[in-house]
């Protein structure tokens, strides 16, 4: 059976949480492979809403194993708070159901502080980060001064690692007129939570290798979206990790052959949180209507999402660089009641017609969408669970998207509820 990687094909917020939860019924294991608690995955199950940031979406399903891979950066305090929150909602979280890679890098309070210091100093040029310390934590990882989860059970190693990290951070903070970090206070804080984190630690790469050999079905859960990828996204308005499916193997300690099928979660329109280019944005009544109907507020930040029409150029490019085999089209019901819909089929840049999203920052900001209009529908699609329940014009819209992006729709989501999903092709069927 194919192991499936789920990734976003736009700027995140595509509805990955619900789809991962839906697919996890068919899987044995769900593993997060990148990002941190800047992710926001919302699940609605039997009327109960679960908001997850670090915990894999499979945690809400009894009997499923959830793993945090080495590619994730982990704020241990935020993780423990999230565990407490979902436990209070009746979800069992213990070391039998959750394992954490011992070589995953940690997010520390100093990373959050540095994130916010930089954003404040950037003024109008700020990136629009979540302020969770994700970027600075990845910087320390690449700079070989990170504190890793496994260091929590080795106090002397931890103390040494803190010293190395503070040589860098306190010099930075001095240049920003910020007070230096107290290394002993940081050490004491980490040692205080270490007993709660330690039981979850494991060589996740080794566990996954055994699971694969035993024929278990593995679901690799991505965060953010392809256009936020640090290499392939709208740089510098991106996240600090690779978000495409190739990272699923690296961020979990597996070879590239571990991934059998890549499912790209794709919203039926387009949204974005934070700064950066957005060619199809509708900063008008249409955008406001999409935002209101789609409840478009960031799960993590609470910030209103910018909204616009579907961008087939961007999604097609995400499919190519991400190796996406099929898409799950989400929030189709938000388009109910629109008399006419628009799809971006190309870009104008000066006198040129482009069929790709340019990599240069100035070109990205200057492109103008080429529109194709298509008939909308007045009937409700909310809660539909079969093709037969969809209006003919809705089916036409879906088929046109398939043509423009060159990839089939495998799933359709028609509401936040788990079972309001139309299965076209089961990714686990191969």
């Amino acid at each position: 059976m194919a192991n499936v990687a789920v990734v976003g094909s736009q700027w995140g917020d595509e509805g990955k949480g619900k789809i991962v939860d839906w697919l996890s019924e068919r899987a044995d294991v769900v593993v997060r492979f990148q990002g941190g608690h800047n992710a926001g995955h919302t699940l609605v199950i039997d009327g109960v809403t679960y908001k997850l940031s670090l915990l894999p979406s499979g945690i809400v399903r009894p009997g499923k194993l959830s793993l945090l891979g080495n590619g994730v950066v982990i704020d241990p305090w935020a993780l423990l708070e999230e565990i407490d929150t979902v436990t209070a909602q009746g979800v069992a979280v213990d070391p039998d159901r959750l394992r954490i890679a011992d070589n995953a890098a940690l997010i520390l309070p100093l990373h959050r502080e540095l994130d916010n210091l930089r954003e404040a100093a950037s003024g109008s040029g700020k990136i629009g980060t979540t302020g969770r310390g994700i970027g600075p934590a990845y910087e320390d990882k690449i700079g070989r001064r990170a504190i890793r989860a496994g260091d929590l059970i080795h106090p002397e190693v931890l103390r040494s690692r803190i010293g190395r990290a503070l040589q860098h951070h306190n010099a930075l903070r001095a240049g920003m007129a910020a007070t230096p970090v107290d290394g002993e206070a940081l050490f004491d804080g980490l040692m205080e939570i270490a007993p709660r984190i330690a039981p979850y630690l494991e060589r996740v790469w080794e566990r996954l290798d055994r699971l694969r050999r035993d024929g278990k079905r593995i679901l690799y859960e991505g965060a953010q979206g392809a256009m936020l990828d640090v290499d392939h996204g709208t740089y510098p308005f991106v996240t600090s990790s690779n978000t495409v499916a190739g990272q699923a193997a690296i961020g979990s300690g597996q070879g590239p052959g571990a991934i059998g099928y890549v499912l790209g979660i794709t919203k039926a329109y387009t949204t974005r949180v934070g700064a950066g280019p957005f060619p199809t944005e509708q900063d008008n009544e249409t955008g406001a209507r999409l935002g209101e109907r789609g409840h478009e507020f960031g799960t993590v930040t609470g910030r209103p999402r910018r909204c616009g029409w579907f961008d087939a150029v961007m999604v097609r490019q995400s499919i190519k660089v991400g190796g996406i085999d099929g898409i799950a089209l989400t929030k189709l019901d938000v388009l109910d009641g629109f008399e006419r819909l628009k799809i971006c089929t190309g870009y104008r840049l000066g006198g040129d017609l482009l069929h790709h999203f340019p990599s240069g920052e100035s070109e990205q900001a200057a492109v103008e969408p080429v529109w194709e209009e298509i008939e909308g529908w007045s009937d409700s699609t909310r809660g539909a669970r079969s093709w037969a329940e969809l209006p003919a014009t809705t089916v036409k819209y879906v088929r046109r998207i398939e043509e423009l992006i060159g990839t089939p729709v495998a799933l359709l989501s028609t509401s936040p509820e788990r079972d309001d999903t139309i299965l076209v092709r089961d990714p686990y069927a191969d």
Side-chain angles (χ1 to χ4, degrees):
M1 296 295 180
N3 292 323
V4 177
V6 172
V7 295
S9 68
Q10 295 156 310
W11 278 297
D13 304 309
E14 301 98 347
K16 291 183 292 298
K18 172 195 166 169
I19 299 300
V20 170
D21 169 62
W22 191 87
L23 287 170
S24 67
E25 183 177 19
R26 294 159 170 76
D28 301 299
V29 185
V30 182
V31 54
R32 274 281 307 275
F33 59 83
Q34 51 78 221
H37 64 309
N38 55 343
H41 293 171
T42 302
L43 315 179
V44 181
I45 302 167
D46 297 329
V48 179
T49 300
Y50 302 90
K51 294 187 176 183
L52 306 178
S53 291
L54 264 174
L55 292 172
S57 297
I59 199 71
V60 299
R61 282 197 182 268
K64 308 296 181 180
L65 177 64
S66 292
L67 304 174
L68 291 175
N70 56 276
V72 180
V73 284
I74 299 170
D75 182 324
W77 292 275
L79 176 61
L80 293 174
E81 182 178 351
E82 190 172 326
I83 289 173
D84 290 343
T85 297
V86 299
T87 298
Q89 291 183 284
V91 177
V93 183
D94 55 51
D96 290 331
R97 299 198 58 220
L98 174 68
R99 306 301 289 170
I100 300 170
D102 59 2
N103 57 339
L106 298 183
I107 301 172
L108 307 174
L110 59 88
H111 294 130
R112 295 195 302 272
E113 293 164 9
L114 180 58
D115 211 349
N116 290 315
L117 284 168
R118 284 174 170 168
E119 284 287 87
S122 296
S124 61
K126 62 184 179 181
I127 300 297
T129 75
T130 58
R132 301 298 179 94
I134 312 296
Y138 274 118
E139 288 177 38
D140 277 3
K141 178 178 178 177
I142 298 302
R144 293 168 292 184
R145 54 180 173 266
I147 293 166
R148 306 206 293 183
D151 296 334
L152 295 178
I153 59 176
H154 299 288
E156 292 310 310
V157 172
L158 176 62
R159 192 183 297 275
S160 174
R161 289 277 175 89
I162 289 174
R164 177 176 171 80
L166 293 191
Q167 284 180 347
H168 172 81
H169 280 278
N170 280 340
L172 270 181
R173 293 169 74 93
M176 304 178 82
T179 57
V181 175
D182 184 334
E184 282 302 309
L186 177 58
F187 176 81
D188 291 343
L190 287 167
M191 291 306 299
E192 181 180 351
I193 63 171
R196 289 193 65 189
I197 298 292
Y200 295 99
L201 299 179
E202 185 178 351
R203 293 184 296 278
V204 162
W205 65 267
E206 192 172 55
R207 170 69 76 98
L208 281 170
D209 183 65
R210 291 198 305 270
L211 291 165
R212 286 180 58 212
R213 291 176 185 275
D214 290 342
K216 301 298 184 182
R217 291 177 171 183
I218 302 169
L219 185 58
Y220 298 85
E221 179 181 13
Q224 290 87 42
M227 299 311 292
L228 291 174
D229 185 280
V230 70
D231 289 308
H232 299 290
T234 50
Y235 190 90
F237 302 97
V238 293
T239 194
S240 298
S241 62
N242 290 111
T243 61
V244 295
Q247 180 65 20
I250 298 168
S252 60
Q254 304 294 288
I259 314 302
Y261 185 94
V262 180
L263 182 67
I265 314 304
T266 308
K267 195 175 285 187
Y269 50 102
T270 312
T271 60
R272 177 167 198 168
V273 170
F278 187 169
T280 66
E281 181 174 13
Q282 299 297 296
D283 188 13
N284 52 29
E285 184 180 337
T286 296
R289 184 178 174 187
L290 288 169
E292 181 180 349
R293 287 182 56 84
H295 305 289
E296 296 295 354
F297 296 90
T299 301
V300 170
T301 63
R303 290 179 292 183
R305 297 178 184 132
R306 301 155 63 191
C307 298
W309 295 118
F310 188 85
D311 190 334
V313 182
M314 182 179 75
V315 173
R316 184 171 62 244
Q317 185 160 318
S318 297
I319 286 167
K320 292 180 184 297
V321 300
I324 292 171
D325 298 300
I327 69 165
L329 194 65
T330 64
K331 288 201 165 185
L332 190 62
D333 57 301
V334 173
L335 299 181
D336 293 353
F338 280 90
E339 185 176 344
R340 305 290 295 177
L341 304 171
K342 288 185 177 182
I343 301 174
C344 173
T345 60
Y347 302 131
R348 292 283 181 192
L349 182 60
D352 297 326
L353 176 62
L354 304 183
H355 293 288
H356 68 277
F357 202 58
S359 59
E361 183 178 353
S362 58
E363 290 87 354
Q364 289 176 355
V367 296
E368 297 180 354
V370 175
W371 298 114
E372 175 180 312
E373 284 204 18
I374 191 168
E375 184 182 358
W377 55 89
S378 56
D379 295 338
S380 174
T381 64
R382 187 174 180 85
R385 298 184 182 183
S386 70
W387 279 108
E389 298 177 59
L390 296 177
T393 46
T394 307
V395 175
K396 183 178 179 181
Y397 180 75
V398 174
R399 294 306 188 201
R400 184 56 179 149
I401 285 176
E402 288 181 315
E403 292 173 358
L404 290 169
I405 66 176
T407 303
V409 170
L411 296 167
L412 280 169
S413 173
T414 57
S415 94
E417 285 287 347
R418 173 187 280 171
D419 294 325
D420 290 343
T421 305
I422 300 171
L423 176 63
V424 183
R425 178 189 178 188
D426 190 343
Y428 278 109
D430 293 336

